[in-house]
Amino acid sequence: VGCRQVLDAGSLMRVRVGSDGLIVGAGPGRGAWVGPSQDCVALAGKRRAFGRSLRVEVNADWVAKLISQWPMQPPACPHGGC
């Protein structure tokens, strides 16, 4: 949902809504797939793509928390879309 590139699921990270905001990983409920860089996450937040994909109201604090806890930190989007 960030850089909008069509890629295999193995190179993307699944984001879902948890009890205290957005979390990364498998689990119950609707999920959104995003590229592995913080840039992709930030772009998805800026475009409000998480809210549309997950069908919930996602606030800026949730996105900021997700970025700060992001498990991977490559220097830039590996897909060239961010």
Side-chain angles (χ1 to χ4, degrees):
V1 296
C3 60
R4 296 186 276 182
Q5 300 293 318
V6 178
L7 303 162
D8 61 299
S11 64
L12 300 173
M13 303 290 286
R14 184 173 187 265
V15 176
R16 63 185 178 91
V17 178
S19 59
D20 60 343
L22 299 175
I23 56 175
V24 176
R30 182 174 294 278
W33 294 94
V34 67
S37 75
Q38 290 178 335
D39 294 334
C40 287
V41 176
L43 185 59
K46 182 178 178 180
R47 294 180 42 243
R48 298 182 185 161
F50 286 123
R52 284 191 307 274
S53 295
L54 300 171
R55 296 185 184 168
V56 296
E57 187 68 32
V58 175
N59 61 43
D61 292 337
W62 284 10
V63 176
K65 183 178 176 184
L66 181 65
I67 292 171
S68 71
Q69 297 175 346
W70 196 247
M72 303 173 80
Q73 297 184 9
C77 177
H79 315 302
C82 298

